[in-house]
Amino acid sequence: DIVMTQSPSSLAVSAGETVTINCKSSQSLFGSVRQKNYLAWYQQKPGQSPKLLIYLASTRESGVPDRFIGSGSGTDFTLTISSVQAEDLANYYCQQYYDTPPLTFGSGTKLEIK
Amino acid sequence: EVQLVESGGGLVQPGASLKLSCVASGFTFSDYWMSWVRQTPGKTMEWIGDIKYDGSYTNYAPSLKNRFTISRDNAKSTLYLQMSNVRSEDTATYYCITTTEGIGDYWGQGVMVTVSS
């Protein structure tokens, strides 16, 4: 199974700052046929279920603000949130779907707003 | 609007069986692969398994394959998770999700299962 390692486990920032969350996979998520990386990011706000933010490593789901940016390739990926807002308080998870089953998730990053 | 509504959770004793349901609406249920994912009290996400849109094929996490069974009734737009011989480590919030090529497009609100004597 592909192991997903997220860092940091938590971070606290002030509104307006830029946040970077890292996700590393134990093997490459790059598919040579479609030339895409099979990685998704989810946001889970307190008391809510997860919501899809980004798929194919960098494609924002419809309706997701453009301050959420996914990047990376191969085994190293990043979710950047520019100009963080209070509503971005949440846990963020990465998930691979390159080699399934099983789908595997990172351990999550808790974002707190100072 | 896509809606996935799970039910059937609660407090259950170790060794018992439990069946979770997920009623879908707002989309053509029979067009989608569906999955179950659980989240432990410590917030760890674990994929349980999935089922093909016509119910003809299932996949499971190896550690759960012998105790959990996923099924669906497309006529009722309902997904099921049959859990048997439950253990304390099965305590979690269980989510049903639509999956497109492995991407969790839509998630239900989740249902809590607590295994305790």
Side-chain angles (χ1 to χ4, degrees):
Chain A
D1 298 355
I2 296 178
V3 176
M4 306 299 292
T5 303
Q6 263 184 260
S7 63
S9 57
S10 66
L11 72 166
V13 300
S14 300
E17 292 186 4
T18 294
V19 162
T20 299
I21 298 170
N22 301 300
C23 177
K24 188 175 183 67
S25 57
S26 60
Q27 64 188 74
S28 176
L29 305 183
F30 183 76
S32 57
V33 174
R34 292 174 66 185
Q35 298 286 294
K36 297 288 186 181
N37 289 279
Y38 294 91
L39 180 106
W41 289 97
Y42 300 90
Q43 175 192 61
Q44 185 178 31
K45 294 184 176 182
Q48 296 185 17
S49 56
K51 168 191 164 186
L52 177 64
L53 283 180
I54 288 170
Y55 58 95
L56 293 176
S58 61
T59 302
R60 271 187 297 274
E61 175 72 335
S62 176
V64 173
D66 59 8
R67 65 178 182 276
F68 291 91
I69 301 166
S71 62
S73 184
T75 62
D76 293 282
F77 301 90
T78 300
L79 174 66
T80 301
I81 310 172
S82 59
S83 190
V84 166
Q85 302 184 9
E87 67 197 50
D88 299 334
L89 166 72
N91 287 312
Y92 293 86
Y93 296 88
C94 60
Q95 175 235 318
Q96 70 82 21
Y97 52 103
Y98 173 80
D99 183 19
T100 68
L103 305 179
T104 49
F105 293 84
S107 54
T109 296
K110 183 176 183 179
L111 174 62
E112 297 176 311
I113 312 299
K114 292 178 186 175
Chain B
E1 179 192 5
V2 171
Q3 283 202 318
L4 298 166
V5 180
E6 301 96 336
S7 62
L11 177 63
V12 60
Q13 292 195 335
S17 295
L18 192 66
K19 190 171 187 176
L20 305 182
S21 300
C22 170
V23 177
S25 61
F27 66 103
T28 304
F29 181 71
S30 58
D31 285 349
Y32 281 81
W33 282 74
M34 296 293 295
S35 299
W36 287 98
V37 169
R38 68 184 182 183
Q39 185 173 33
T40 67
K43 302 299 185 184
T44 297
M45 291 283 194
E46 181 180 16
W47 177 82
I48 296 169
D50 59 16
I51 185 166
K52 193 175 179 180
Y53 43 80
D54 61 358
S56 63
Y57 193 75
T58 51
N59 295 297
Y60 295 95
S63 62
L64 301 174
K65 184 175 183 177
N66 293 334
R67 298 190 298 118
F68 288 16
T69 302
I70 297 172
S71 60
R72 65 192 297 163
D73 184 338
N74 285 347
K76 295 182 179 179
S77 296
T78 303
L79 177 72
Y80 302 101
L81 177 65
Q82 177 71 54
M83 306 166 61
S84 62
N85 190 23
V86 296
R87 308 164 181 170
S88 58
E89 53 263 38
D90 295 324
T91 294
T93 298
Y94 287 73
Y95 293 100
C96 76
I97 63 175
T98 63
T99 42
T100 302
E101 298 182 354
I103 302 165
D105 313 281
Y106 296 99
W107 296 58
Q109 88 286 353
V111 61
M112 289 188 63
V113 173
T114 302
V115 182
S116 176
S117 55

